[in-house]
Amino acid sequence: MTKPIILTGDRTTGPLHLGHYAGSLSNRLRYQDSHDRFLLLAATQALTDNASDPD
């Protein structure tokens, strides 16, 4: 039997904070053994959100 799949992602800007933990990281930990997980890094979104200051 295959495991359910979870797809989640993070923007690559700024340090992690409590919102990351409450919204995403805690669930990743909770389901790490029972689900297959795929993580995407939203670099394009980070670039477009900060187009005026790409650094």
Side-chain angles (χ1 to χ4, degrees), residues 24-44:
S24 179
L25 296 175
S26 62
N27 284 324
R28 289 183 208 172
L29 291 173
R30 180 180 309 139
Y31 297 119
Q32 68 183 346
D33 295 324
S34 61
H35 290 67
D36 288 327
R37 296 150 338 275
F38 293 91
L39 173 66
L40 62 91
L41 300 176
T44 302

Side-chain angles (χ1 to χ4, degrees), residues 5-53:
I5 297 171
I6 294 174
L7 171 65
T8 187
D10 289 323
R11 289 181 5 167
T12 58
T13 57
L16 294 175
H17 52 74
L18 185 57
H20 289 106
Y21 179 76
S24 179
L25 296 175
S26 62
N27 284 324
R28 289 183 208 172
L29 291 173
R30 180 180 309 139
Y31 297 119
Q32 68 183 346
D33 295 324
S34 61
H35 290 67
D36 288 327
R37 296 150 338 275
F38 293 91
L39 173 66
L40 62 91
L41 300 176
T44 302
Q45 180 183 3
L47 290 172
T48 58
D49 285 353
N50 299 294
S52 63
D53 184 22

